[in-house]
C-alpha cells in the first residue's frame, strides 16, 4: 500500500488541532484520502477500512471471532489508566510496576491463545488483526524509543518468553520491515 507518512511534533499537532485543519476534535492518526479533502481518524477504524480495501478482512466466522477476540482483549488493557505512567517524566515505581503487570498479563493471555500453532492471529490468513498485533508490540513491547528503561527491559524479557506470539509476528515483521525501521528513528 503506497502512502506518505507525515510525522508531527506535539507543538505542530497542537497548532493543527487548534486550527481544526482536519475537523473539530480530530485526534491522531489522520488518514487523508486521495481526494485531499476527506479525513479519517481513529486508528482501528482506519485499519479495518484499509484491510477491507486491500484484502485483509477475515473470511470465516471463526477467523473473525479470533481477530475480534484479540481486539476486545487489547482494548481491555489499553483502557487501563495505568498506561498514563508511560507519559510521565518521573513516575513512581509502583505505577511502572502496575503497568508492566498489565502488559505482562495481556501478552501471556495472547501467548496462550496462540499456543495452538496457528500461523496468524485469526488462523490461516493474514488479517487486520495481525497488523494490529504488530502495531501493539512495536509500540508497547519493542519500542526502542520508549521513555522508561524499566518498562523497556521488562517487555523485552517478556517478549523473549513468547515463542507463539513471535511465530505469528515473524511474517508480519518481514512484510512491514521498512515501516518498522522508520519507526525506530522517530522519537
Amino acid at each position: 500500500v503506497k502512502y506518505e507518512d507525515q510525522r508531527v511534533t506535539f507543538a505542530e499537532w497542537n497548532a493543527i488541532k487548534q486550527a481544526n485543519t482536519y475537523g473539530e476534535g480530530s485526534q491522531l492518526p489522520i488518514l487523508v484520502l486521495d481526494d485531499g479533502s476527506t479525513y479519517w481518524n481513529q486508528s482501528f477504524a482506519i485499519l479495518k477500512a484499509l484491510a477491507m480495501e486491500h484484502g485483509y478482512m477475515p473470511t470465516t466466522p471463526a477467523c473473525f471471532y479470533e481477530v475480534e477476540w484479540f481486539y476486545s482483549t487489547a482494548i481491555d488493557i489499553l483502557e487501563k489508566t495505568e498506561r498514563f505512567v508511560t507519559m510521565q517524566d518521573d513516575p513512581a515505581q509502583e505505577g511502572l510496576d502496575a503497568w508492566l503487570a498489565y502488559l505482562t498479563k495481556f501478552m501471556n493471555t495472547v501467548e496462550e491463545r496462540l499456543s495452538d500453532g496457528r500461523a496468524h492471529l485469526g488462523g490461516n490468513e493474514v488479517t487486520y488483526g495481525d497488523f494490529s498485533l504488530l502495531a501493539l508490540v512495536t509500540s508497547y513491547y519493542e519500542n526502542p524509543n520508549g521513555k522508561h528503561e524499566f518498562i523497556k527491559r521488562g517487555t523485552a524479557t517478556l517478549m523473549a518468553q513468547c515463542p507463539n506470539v513471535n511465530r505469528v509476528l515473524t511474517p508480519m515483521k518481514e512484510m512491514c520491515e521498512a515501516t518498522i525501521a522508520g519507526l525506530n528513528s522517530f522519537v
Side-chain angles (χ1 to χ4, degrees):
V1 176
K2 290 186 178 187
Y3 66 96
E4 181 183 346
D5 188 11
Q6 294 182 345
R7 308 259 169 163
V8 295
T9 65
F10 285 115
E12 291 168 331
W13 174 245
N14 190 43
I16 292 167
K17 191 171 181 172
Q18 293 299 319
N20 290 322
T21 304
Y22 299 109
E24 188 173 343
S26 284
Q27 298 291 319
L28 293 176
I30 301 282
L31 175 65
V32 180
L33 298 185
D34 289 339
D35 66 10
S37 62
T38 302
Y39 313 118
W40 290 352
N41 63 7
Q42 294 296 341
S43 58
F44 289 152
I46 292 169
L47 177 62
K48 289 179 181 182
L50 291 174
M52 183 174 283
E53 181 179 344
H54 296 283
Y56 290 109
M57 291 299 285
T59 60
T60 68
C63 181
F64 182 80
Y65 171 79
E66 289 298 327
V67 172
E68 288 298 313
W69 173 90
F70 171 78
Y71 259 114
S72 298
T73 305
I75 287 170
D76 287 347
I77 188 73
L78 295 177
E79 288 182 344
K80 301 292 185 194
T81 58
E82 285 80 0
R83 78 181 187 282
F84 293 119
V85 73
T86 62
M87 299 172 199
Q88 298 171 4
D89 288 330
D90 192 24
Q93 186 61 44
E94 67 187 76
L96 292 169
D97 290 339
W99 181 233
L100 184 59
Y102 277 115
L103 291 173
T104 300
K105 180 179 179 183
F106 170 73
M107 194 53 63
N108 286 336
T109 300
V110 175
E111 174 67 13
E112 176 63 28
R113 189 73 172 203
L114 298 177
S115 68
D116 60 7
R118 68 183 81 175
H120 304 287
L121 191 66
N124 293 325
E125 58 190 88
V126 175
T127 67
Y128 60 85
D130 296 286
F131 290 100
S132 181
L133 176 60
L134 178 63
L136 188 77
V137 167
T138 57
S139 297
Y140 286 96
Y141 293 84
E142 297 177 350
N143 184 347
N145 301 314
K147 197 170 194 174
H148 305 293
E149 285 301 318
F150 175 80
I151 298 293
K152 289 186 343 185
R153 281 192 310 272
T155 55
T157 300
L158 174 63
M159 290 306 296
Q161 300 168 3
C162 293
N164 297 310
V165 172
N166 286 309
R167 180 191 71 249
V168 169
L169 282 175
T170 295
M172 299 308 297
K173 286 181 175 181
E174 291 169 0
M175 182 189 305
C176 301
E177 184 176 12
T179 301
I180 294 168
L183 294 175
N184 291 341
S185 65
F186 184 75
V187 179

